[in-house]
């Protein structure tokens, strides 16, 4: 069972990753139809930059997971921050807030699932 903190982090990571992956796919599609060698070289460099950015995101994600797993105090602080976010989010209805509160496991059972 995932906790709320992980769900938020995963959602942010996936959003960024999907945007960069989509841009890289568009560049690769342009590259396939390109006949000009100079233009192809520019597209290839753009594609390499997108790949480097994706690698950076993956490393950051892994580092963040390791930090959270290794530091119980950080884990509890993040859980408190997420609780405050749920309570103060103007876009969540009272019913949604209640559902989020009820689905949360007790504090000692919260772990990050990779």
């Amino acid at each position: 069972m995932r906790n709320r903190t992980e769900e938020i982090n995963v959602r942010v990571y996936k959003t960024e990753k999907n945007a960069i992956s989509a841009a890289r796919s568009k560049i690769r599609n342009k590259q396939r139809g390109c006949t000009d060698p100079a233009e192809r070289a520019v597209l290839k460099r753009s594609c390499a930059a997108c790949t480097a950015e994706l690698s950076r995101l993956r490393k950051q994600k892994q580092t963040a997971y390791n930090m959270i797993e290794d530091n119980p105090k950080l884990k509890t602080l993040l859980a408190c921050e997420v609780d405050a976010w749920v309570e103060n989010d103007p876009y969540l209805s009272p019913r949604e807030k209640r559902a989020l509160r009820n689905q949360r496991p007790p504090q000692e059972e919260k772990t990050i699932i990779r």
Side-chain angles (χ1 to χ4, degrees):
M1 181 176 189
R2 287 185 169 182
N3 64 32
R4 192 71 182 149
T5 306
E6 183 185 359
E7 289 176 12
I8 292 169
N9 290 338
V10 167
R11 196 172 295 146
V12 168
Y13 166 75
K14 284 184 178 180
T15 302
E16 286 185 46
K17 184 182 137 261
N18 290 343
I20 295 170
S21 294
R24 184 172 67 172
S25 293
K26 287 180 182 179
I27 292 169
R28 284 187 174 160
N29 287 338
K30 286 180 185 177
Q31 193 176 5
R32 279 190 206 106
C34 184
T35 56
D36 182 27
E39 178 75 19
R40 185 173 278 240
V42 170
L43 290 172
K44 203 170 197 179
R45 281 193 298 273
S46 298
C47 189
C50 289
T51 303
E53 185 67 19
L54 284 172
S55 296
R56 185 189 64 78
L57 280 174
R58 289 184 192 114
K59 286 179 185 175
Q60 281 183 347
K61 176 187 164 196
Q62 189 61 43
T63 302
Y65 280 141
N66 291 339
M67 286 172 51
I68 292 169
E69 277 297 315
D70 293 342
N71 192 341
K73 185 176 181 181
L74 182 61
K75 193 184 285 189
T76 58
L77 287 173
L78 282 173
C80 290
E81 187 176 322
V82 169
D83 291 342
W85 173 78
V86 167
E87 292 302 320
N88 296 323
D89 189 356
Y91 300 107
L92 290 175
S93 69
R95 192 184 93 220
E96 290 170 324
K97 289 180 184 180
R98 192 170 41 255
L100 287 172
R101 274 188 240 117
N102 292 337
Q103 82 178 26
R104 236 179 265 130
Q107 190 69 21
E108 61 274 356
E109 294 178 21
K110 289 185 177 178
T111 57
I112 301 275
I113 300 170
R114 294 181 201 179

